[in-house]
Amino acid sequence: MTSEIASNKAFGGYIKKFKAESATLGLSTQFNVFVPSISGPSNGYPVLYYLSGLTCNEDTGPWKGGFLGHAQASGIALVFPDTSPRGAKVEGEEDSWDLGTAAGFYLDATSPKWAKHYRMFSFITQELVSLLKGLNLPLDLSRQSIMGHSMGGLGALNLFLSTSQYCSASAFSPVCNPTKSPWGTKAFTNYLAGGIEEGEKYDPSCLLEKAKGRSNVHILVDYGEQDQFLKDGQLRPEALQQAAEKAGFAQENVNIRKQEGYDHSYYFISTFAEEHIKYHAKFLKA
Amino acid sequence: MTSEIASNKAFGGYIKKFKAESATLGLSTQFNVFVPSISGPSNGYPVLYYLSGLTCNEDTGPWKGGFLGHAQASGIALVFPDTSPRGAKVEGEEDSWDLGTAAGFYLDATSPKWAKHYRMFSFITQELVSLLKGLNLPLDLSRQSIMGHSMGGLGALNLFLSTSQYCSASAFSPVCNPTKSPWGTKAFTNYLAGGIEEGEKYDPSCLLEKAKGRSNVHILVDYGEQDQFLKDGQLRPEALQQAAEKAGFAQENVNIRKQEGYDHSYYFISTFAEEHIKYHAKFLKA
């Protein structure tokens, strides 16, 4: 049962908020969908997901990312899921900003404590697609791409690399090598029965190295040279770059760009929003 | 004493947050400034103010309005003040969302209870200009325009109409006739010793009618046909339209547009952000 709980006209199209009972999460969850128009082309608009970072929710991207006008111009629909299940009532879930609520890391937890509800990987790659198909909106779910910020950049890269369902992935300041960064090791140690070793399947740098020989790898990454979390060793784009080189991916397939003077904020994201939308449009509309 | 408390690169320029001890407000206050570049043209960038609505602060516009990229493209600096003094400790100040904190209505209070601190009109039209001049930023304060949303739309129209310091004014879903709307009558009854009658000097429709014969009136207003506060009688754009007609202003001087399907949200504002920036650019860069 999915119900529309808000609808706002924006840039000639509509952004609509839905609430759904998720079987995967065992909880209700909310997500936003932007469509360039309600009627749309007969085959529907291709779909670009945006995964938000720590402390965020399904509203952060549409409110602060500056994506909607550019999606309208490119004829692309946007989908903004939440960053974790909400109200799972796991002990400690609300105690820190980098674990539990708003910190789902887009994985399927396997440690007994978290495994029942913390399943954002399966929710986004599978159930959400079915939910979207059930909406009366002009979406073409045969054409999907994915982007994200920080923890959501990790999610976008992981979902792209460990499935074949997305045409392209892009990330703003992603957590590139979580098995070797504080946020990632904390998350994996808690969420995964196999800890950091199991976490390699959610580490974009590990996955990219293993993707050697895969065709249709289309990845764009931007990070800010003044990002405090880059300095703190949370992001490690150099590990992703090394993985790309080890796997032999050319820059046209994995393009990792350092942006002079920019930081981790939505001011950075909104600055490059247009380029990311246009990047995905190339593959979604090819 | 004004100190820079944050600086983020955005769209090739910088958005900087400042904290100042305001003599006018008798309190410290914060504001954001966006400059298309730090060096800038030798005479500085013209300045466009954005006044936010009820419940908002100096961050709401830059985070959600979608103005920065368009200001960059037009070569205009943006200034985002707060919506009220903060921490004045007036009794009842925090009790409702439409009076007190975040609800300063851009006026100078005269009732004894509020008069000491609630002086956003004088702060923005006078002290803030001096504070901006004291910053080491490429701003040309001889060229200023002003825009705003809802209560801030009221502020933008009022500041434009009751001074001669702005080249143009624009407003998204403004409170056009506050002496006859619930928000306005509550504010005036509380803030002003002379109540609603004194409030006529802060009523855009009254001021516009009295502006008959004034040259250089350049006003653009957009409001959403699906705006809940339009239906509630808070906005009354029809009163502003009537005032424009009574005063004999042509549409090229006072252009009030109803936008089909749009509501009161920042989704509406961001949709028309580009048009408003370009409107002001015509006058700021003439």
Side-chain angles (χ1 to χ4, degrees):
Chain A
M1 177 64 200
T2 305
S3 52
E4 181 180 311
I5 56 176
S7 177
N8 302 82
K9 192 170 180 184
F11 295 95
Y14 281 86
I15 179 149
K16 290 173 176 284
K17 180 179 279 208
F18 297 93
K19 183 172 190 169
E21 299 307 318
S22 164
T24 308
L25 304 174
L27 290 164
S28 67
T29 189
Q30 298 188 167
F31 55 91
N32 284 299
V33 181
F34 172 73
V35 283
S37 78
I38 286 296
S39 51
S42 59
N43 56 339
Y45 297 104
V47 172
L48 175 57
Y49 297 85
Y50 175 80
L51 308 184
S52 226
L54 290 167
T55 76
C56 297
N57 63 27
E58 74 278 6
D59 288 329
T60 317
W63 284 357
K64 297 172 73 176
F67 297 116
L68 275 54
H70 303 304
Q72 163 69 248
S74 286
I76 288 174
L78 300 172
V79 175
F80 303 90
D82 203 348
T83 49
S84 76
R86 303 260 166 187
K89 297 182 180 163
V90 177
E91 191 200 337
E93 185 182 47
E94 308 292 342
D95 292 355
S96 52
W97 61 282
D98 55 3
L99 189 76
T101 298
F105 278 83
Y106 304 103
L107 51 73
D108 285 349
T110 51
S111 77
K113 183 175 166 182
W114 301 92
K116 186 176 175 193
H117 300 295
Y118 278 73
R119 306 190 63 222
M120 292 301 287
F121 183 93
S122 288
F123 173 70
I124 293 169
T125 56
Q126 294 169 38
E127 189 179 9
L128 180 55
V129 183
S130 303
L131 294 173
L132 293 169
K133 282 182 182 159
L135 301 176
N136 188 22
L137 287 175
L139 303 176
D140 176 2
L141 275 307
S142 73
R143 295 178 290 160
Q144 302 180 80
S145 286
I146 191 159
M147 61 180 176
H149 172 234
S150 196
M151 174 185 76
L154 168 151
L157 296 171
N158 284 344
L159 270 56
F160 174 81
L161 288 167
S162 51
T163 71
S164 57
Q165 74 190 71
Y166 306 101
C167 302
S168 49
S170 80
F172 305 89
S173 5
V175 176
C176 294
N177 191 200
T179 56
K180 295 201 173 125
S181 78
W183 285 335
T185 53
K186 180 175 177 181
F188 295 158
T189 307
N190 281 275
Y191 289 137
L192 302 177
I196 292 169
E197 198 175 333
E198 187 180 346
E200 288 178 8
K201 67 190 265 205
Y202 298 114
D203 185 311
S205 298
C206 299
L207 291 175
L208 185 61
E209 195 176 328
K210 286 183 187 150
K212 184 172 180 171
R214 174 174 163 177
S215 61
N216 297 319
V217 168
H218 306 299
I219 292 176
L220 173 65
V221 170
D222 280 314
Y223 67 95
E225 169 254 350
Q226 288 292 322
D227 188 321
Q228 63 181 107
F229 299 113
L230 176 69
K231 296 170 193 167
D232 294 349
Q234 298 281 17
L235 308 186
R236 295 180 53 79
E238 68 281 7
L240 193 68
Q241 184 65 57
Q242 282 165 15
E245 286 162 14
K246 275 193 191 168
F249 289 114
Q251 197 183 46
E252 63 176 283
N253 295 107
V254 180
N255 192 5
I256 303 170
R257 310 188 300 188
K258 177 168 76 175
Q259 301 292 355
E260 207 73 33
Y262 287 91
D263 57 33
H264 202 72
S265 70
Y266 269 82
Y267 291 126
F268 165 58
I269 297 174
S270 59
T271 299
F272 294 95
E274 180 174 13
E275 286 188 39
H276 281 240
I277 297 274
K278 286 183 172 169
Y279 177 78
H280 291 291
K282 275 193 303 185
F283 304 106
L284 286 168
K285 311 196 91 173
Chain B
M1 176 62 201
T2 304
S3 53
E4 181 181 310
I5 56 176
S7 177
N8 302 83
K9 192 169 180 183
F11 295 94
Y14 281 86
I15 179 149
K16 291 174 176 284
K17 180 179 280 208
F18 296 94
K19 183 171 191 170
E21 299 306 317
S22 164
T24 308
L25 303 175
L27 289 164
S28 67
T29 189
Q30 298 187 166
F31 55 91
N32 284 299
V33 182
F34 172 74
V35 283
S37 78
I38 286 296
S39 52
S42 59
N43 55 340
Y45 297 104
V47 172
L48 175 57
Y49 297 85
Y50 175 81
L51 308 184
S52 225
L54 290 167
T55 77
C56 296
N57 63 28
E58 74 280 6
D59 288 329
T60 317
W63 284 357
K64 297 173 73 177
F67 297 117
L68 275 53
H70 303 303
Q72 163 69 247
S74 287
I76 289 174
L78 300 172
V79 175
F80 302 90
D82 203 347
T83 48
S84 76
R86 304 260 165 186
K89 298 182 181 165
V90 177
E91 190 199 338
E93 184 182 46
E94 308 291 341
D95 292 354
S96 51
W97 62 281
D98 55 3
L99 190 76
T101 297
F105 278 83
Y106 304 102
L107 49 72
D108 286 350
T110 51
S111 76
K113 184 177 168 183
W114 300 94
K116 186 176 176 194
H117 300 295
Y118 278 73
R119 307 191 64 224
M120 291 303 287
F121 183 94
S122 288
F123 173 71
I124 293 170
T125 56
Q126 294 168 38
E127 189 179 8
L128 180 55
V129 182
S130 304
L131 294 173
L132 292 169
K133 282 181 183 160
L135 301 176
N136 188 22
L137 287 176
L139 303 176
D140 177 0
L141 276 307
S142 74
R143 296 178 289 160
Q144 302 180 80
S145 286
I146 192 160
M147 62 180 175
H149 172 235
S150 195
M151 173 185 77
L154 167 151
L157 297 171
N158 284 344
L159 270 56
F160 175 81
L161 288 166
S162 52
T163 71
S164 56
Q165 75 189 71
Y166 306 101
C167 303
S168 48
S170 80
F172 305 90
S173 6
V175 176
C176 293
N177 190 200
T179 55
K180 294 199 174 127
S181 78
W183 285 334
T185 52
K186 180 175 177 181
F188 295 159
T189 308
N190 281 276
Y191 289 137
L192 303 176
I196 292 168
E197 197 176 336
E198 188 180 344
E200 289 177 8
K201 68 189 264 203
Y202 297 114
D203 185 311
S205 298
C206 300
L207 291 175
L208 185 61
E209 194 176 330
K210 286 183 187 153
K212 184 174 181 170
R214 175 174 162 176
S215 61
N216 297 319
V217 168
H218 306 298
I219 291 175
L220 172 65
V221 170
D222 280 312
Y223 67 95
E225 168 254 352
Q226 288 294 323
D227 187 322
Q228 63 180 109
F229 300 113
L230 176 68
K231 296 170 194 169
D232 294 350
Q234 297 282 16
L235 307 186
R236 296 180 52 79
E238 69 279 8
L240 193 68
Q241 185 64 56
Q242 282 165 15
E245 287 162 14
K246 275 193 191 168
F249 289 114
Q251 196 184 48
E252 64 175 281
N253 295 107
V254 180
N255 192 4
I256 302 171
R257 310 188 300 188
K258 176 167 76 174
Q259 301 291 356
E260 207 73 34
Y262 286 92
D263 57 32
H264 202 72
S265 70
Y266 270 81
Y267 291 126
F268 164 59
I269 298 173
S270 59
T271 299
F272 294 95
E274 181 174 13
E275 284 187 41
H276 282 240
I277 297 274
K278 286 183 172 168
Y279 176 79
H280 292 291
K282 275 194 303 187
F283 305 106
L284 286 169
K285 310 197 91 173

